[in-house]
Structure formats: structure tokens, C-alpha cells
């Protein structure tokens, strides 16, 4: 039940934030490995990107990839949040005094994130026809192309997100800012977590997007980057440090609301489930 509620919470958030994911990826890919000022910027900012995509490709393009996104979110976050939730319910994340241990919380979030991301990586590559073509061309291993490169991104993001959420929620409860068991506690903690996760994840997100998108040779080896560290270094060297934060506005508008909605839905679903099953 923990895994099911986690997956449903992530899917609910995904419906609202998938258009932001489309915009974010397009902004991250423009001007790839080109020095600033040497390429045409199709999208000046998040709002301009929304307008251009809607105008040129149609409004339906803003929900492109929704089906695989929902499946990925259900699988990846069902495993990630479900595993973390079980660890939290068993008391493994708390100190002897009963407070959340940031170290244990961060470690559990990182481990849960890596598990979910690796198992869900083939879905991130595309849906059924795409998976079949990739499998036929590159074999079963090809379905996990770029998966290892994406793990540092998820490790950092999941660790930051869940540790920040749990610790902030614990502090708000201790300080009694809101009434006990109020939904406002989860919402406020999720908002803090959303800011932290965007700052931590954006450089890895840019590198991961480019790893997945790069062309490959006949053996399936990437032609532009050797791995995520190489992608980060090349991006920083060619486009500057700000290049590693390319599309951060879109990243926040996507990751911020997605973090807030998914964690809030997750927390409330668990609250109602445990309230009615006591």
C-alpha cells in the first residue's frame, strides 16, 4: 500500500507539471556545447518557451510524453517514496530522542532514489515502440543506456528532497507553528524542499538530459560525453558555470511544483490511509 500511494501521489503531480518538463528539456538542449552569444536562442525564458511551443507545435505538444511520464513517475517514485516511507515508519530515520536524523534521512533518500531511478530508467528512455526498437538495436543493456550517468543526479536530488522535507516537517511540528496534524505542515515543508532540490539538482539535470539526448555509435557509445562528470565539465568549460544552470527557471517551475505536489499528496494519502485503518 505504501508503494501504491507513493506512485499515485507522483502521478497526480505529474499531470500538472509535465508541460513544465517539456519546456525545461527544450531550454536545456538549446545551444548545447556552444559558447554564449554564438547561437540563436529559440526560447528567451520559460514563458516565451511556453508561447513558442504552443504556437508552433500546438498546445498538445506541451503534454508530449505524458503517458511514459506517468508510468515512470508511478514506478520510480512508487519505489523511491515507498521505500523511504517504510524506513520512516519503522523508525530507522529517528534518533534516540525521537527527532529526524538528517544523516540517516539523507542516506535513506539517496538509496531509495537510486533504486527507483535505476529500475525506472528504461521507461525514461521512451514507451513501448521506442523500447522495442532500442532493445532490438542495442540489446537489453541498451534499455539502461545513460542510467548510471543519471544516478548521481537522482542520488543528490532524492537525498536533498526527502531529507529537507522530513527535517523541515519535524521542526515545524516541534515549533508548533501550525495545529497538530495540519496539512499546512506538509505543504510548508514541501515548499522548502522544492527550493532546495532545484538548487541541488539543476546541474545534474542538465548533464543527464544531454547524456540521454546525445547521438551514439553502432555500439551504443555516446559520441559527445563519456559520462555525467564529463558532461558537467564540458558544459562548464564551454558555456560557463551558468551553463550548468541553463533552464533553471523552467527547472524550478517544474521541480518546485512537482516536489510540492508529490510530497504533499504523498503525505496526505498516508495520513488518510493510516487514519482510516487504525
Amino acid at each position: 500500500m505504501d508503494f501504491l500511494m507513493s506512485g499515485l501521489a507522483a502521478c497526480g503531480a505529474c499531470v500538472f507539471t509535465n508541460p513544465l518538463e517539456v519546456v525545461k528539456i527544450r531550454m536545456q538542449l538549446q545551444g548545447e556545447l556552444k559558447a554564449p552569444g554564438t547561437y540563436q536562442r529559440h526560447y528567451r525564458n520559460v514563458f516565451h518557451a511556453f508561447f513558442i511551443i504552443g504556437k508552433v507545435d500546438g498546445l498538445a505538444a506541451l503534454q508530449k510524453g505524458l503517458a511514459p511520464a506517468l508510468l515512470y513517475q508511478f514506478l520510480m517514485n512508487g519505489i523511491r517514496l515507498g521505500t523511504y516511507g517504510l524506513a520512516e515508519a519503522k523508525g530507522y530515520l529517528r534518533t534516540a530522542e525521537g527527532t529526524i536524523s538528517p544523516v540517516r534521512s539523507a542516506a535513506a533518500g539517496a538509496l531509495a532514489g537510486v533504486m527507483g531511478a535505476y529500475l525506472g530508467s528504461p521507461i525514461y528512455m521512451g514507451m513501448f515502440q521506442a523500447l522495442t526498437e532500442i532493445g532490438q538495436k542495442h540489446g537489453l543493456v541498451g534499455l539502461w543506456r545513460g542510467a548510471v550517468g543519471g544516478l548521481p543526479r537522482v542520488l543528490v536530488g532524492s537525498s536533498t528532497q526527502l531529507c529537507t522535507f522530513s527535517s523541515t516537517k519535524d521542526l515545524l511540528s516541534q515549533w508548533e507553528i501550525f495545529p497538530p496534524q495540519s496539512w499546512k505542515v506538509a505543504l510548508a515543508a514541501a515548499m522548502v524542499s522544492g527550493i532546495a532540490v532545484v538548487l541541488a539538482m539543476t546541474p545534474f539535470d542538465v548533464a543527464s538530459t544531454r547524456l540521454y539526448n546525445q547521438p551514439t555509435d553502432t555500439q551504443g557509445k555516446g559520441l559527445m560525453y563519456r559520462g555525467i562528470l564529463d558532461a558537467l565539465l564540458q558544459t562548464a568549460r564551454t558555456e560557463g558555470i551558468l551553463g550548468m544552470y541553463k533552464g533553471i527557471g523552467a527547472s524550478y517551475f517544474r521541480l518546485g511544483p512537482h516536489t510540492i505536489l508529490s510530497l504533499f499528496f504523498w503525505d496526505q494519502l498516508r495520513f488518510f490511509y493510516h487514519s482510516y485503518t487504525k
Side-chain angles (χ1 to χ4, degrees):
M1 201 63 194
D2 283 292
F3 292 98
L4 177 61
M5 289 187 294
S6 300
L8 290 175
C11 286
C14 182
V15 171
F16 293 99
T17 60
N18 188 63
L20 298 164
E21 176 74 6
V22 173
V23 169
K24 180 201 72 173
I25 288 176
R26 294 218 185 176
M27 292 188 71
Q28 288 177 341
L29 291 175
Q30 70 173 345
E32 186 172 4
L33 292 186
K34 293 182 180 179
T38 62
Y39 62 91
Q40 181 183 0
R41 292 183 63 192
H42 298 289
Y43 314 115
R44 293 193 296 271
N45 52 53
V46 176
F47 305 105
H48 184 248
F50 266 108
F51 175 76
I52 294 297
I53 294 171
K55 179 181 178 181
V56 176
D57 300 328
L59 293 177
L62 290 169
Q63 280 290 14
K64 183 172 287 187
L66 179 60
L70 288 173
L71 184 56
Y72 176 73
Q73 287 295 328
F74 185 83
L75 179 60
M76 187 272 196
N77 276 310
I79 294 171
R80 185 176 74 92
L81 296 179
T83 301
Y84 184 87
L86 286 175
E88 187 177 42
K90 295 293 184 181
Y92 297 142
L93 309 184
R94 295 190 175 274
T95 63
E97 292 74 26
T99 59
I100 288 288
S101 166
V103 175
R104 295 181 190 177
S105 178
L111 179 60
V114 167
M115 289 171 56
Y118 191 79
L119 293 174
S121 184
I123 305 302
Y124 192 76
M125 292 283 286
M127 276 297 273
F128 306 111
Q129 182 179 353
L131 290 175
T132 301
E133 292 176 358
I134 293 168
Q136 290 174 346
K137 186 176 180 180
H138 301 294
L140 186 62
V141 177
L143 296 177
W144 273 268
R145 180 170 69 87
V148 175
L151 292 184
R153 165 188 176 272
V154 178
L155 187 149
V156 170
S158 181
S159 177
T160 302
Q161 183 194 64
L162 293 174
C163 177
T164 306
F165 176 71
S166 295
S167 298
T168 304
K169 186 181 170 187
D170 197 44
L171 285 174
L172 291 174
S173 298
Q174 291 180 39
W175 294 341
E176 299 181 346
I177 296 176
F178 302 110
Q181 305 300 326
S182 172
W183 57 268
K184 296 177 183 178
V185 175
L187 182 61
M191 292 174 70
V192 173
S193 180
I195 296 172
V197 76
V198 170
L199 293 175
M201 279 187 70
T202 297
F204 295 93
D205 200 21
V206 171
S208 181
T209 295
R210 293 181 174 187
L211 277 174
Y212 276 107
N213 191 68
Q214 69 175 326
T216 60
D217 59 20
T218 55
Q219 283 75 43
K221 184 178 179 181
L223 298 176
M224 298 176 67
Y225 311 107
R226 294 189 298 273
I228 193 165
L229 290 179
D230 183 51
L232 286 169
L233 288 173
Q234 284 199 57
T235 300
R237 189 181 302 118
T238 308
E239 303 171 50
I241 296 298
L242 292 180
M244 298 170 66
Y245 282 90
K246 186 171 285 185
I248 189 171
S251 291
Y252 178 76
F253 280 111
R254 188 269 173 187
L255 283 173
H258 190 272
T259 293
I260 293 169
L261 289 173
S262 60
L263 293 180
F264 178 70
F265 290 161
W266 177 56
D267 186 84
Q268 292 302 294
L269 281 173
R270 290 193 303 162
F271 173 75
F272 287 123
Y273 173 73
H274 292 302
S275 296
Y276 285 105
T277 54
K278 284 184 179 179

